Amino acid sequence: MNLSRKCSKTACREPAVATLTYVYSDRAAVLGPLATYAEPHTYDLCSAHATRLTAPRGWDVVRLATEYPEPQPSTDDLLALADAVREAGRPRAAAPEPVEVGPTVVAGEVRRGHLRVLRGSAEG
């Protein structure tokens, strides 16, 4: 679960706790717990916006949850964070000294800037 997901409402900086999806064929707005992944055509809402949600006239609001707890970090998130800190703390191996390689010369080669023209046996 990504803890950096914010409410989709303009200028709202609160963390998202619910996901809103529209089912156009049923004229329904479905509001449920925060989805594991952000999907296209869904909207993440904070607790305040999720509880005050209203639908257009003639539409129904289907609430799959009535309380929206704040998302907690999962063990996967904590393990990933620990791995990143461990990796950043490892000493870096020294890069090997670069070996200078001279230009390779091919018989019958003509250089034009960064391009090479190879002459064939018929052009000789």
Side-chain angles (χ1 to χ4, degrees):
M1 193 176 290
N2 187 355
L3 295 178
S4 65
R5 285 166 57 185
K6 301 290 182 195
C7 183
S8 296
K9 291 287 193 172
T10 306
C12 184
R13 300 281 182 213
E14 296 297 314
V17 296
T19 299
L20 171 67
T21 306
Y22 290 105
V23 182
Y24 294 98
S25 61
D26 295 336
R27 297 177 65 158
V30 180
L31 187 64
L34 186 63
T36 306
Y37 300 102
E39 297 286 336
H41 310 294
T42 62
Y43 303 91
D44 294 335
L45 299 176
C46 66
S47 180
H49 286 116
T51 55
R52 294 187 314 218
L53 177 75
T54 60
R57 187 175 298 150
W59 283 59
D60 295 321
V61 177
V62 178
R63 294 181 189 273
L64 301 177
T66 56
E67 293 183 14
Y68 305 102
E70 295 291 324
Q72 299 297 320
S74 69
T75 56
D76 292 341
D77 293 335
L78 295 175
L79 289 174
L81 180 61
D83 289 341
V85 169
R86 198 174 302 120
E87 182 66 29
R90 285 189 183 146
R92 305 263 185 234
E97 296 279 329
V99 178
E100 290 192 33
V101 178
T104 57
V105 178
V106 178
E109 175 183 82
V110 178
R111 286 199 154 289
R112 303 261 157 97
H114 66 282
L115 301 175
R116 295 187 307 180
V117 177
L118 298 176
R119 297 185 186 260
S121 60
E123 295 178 2

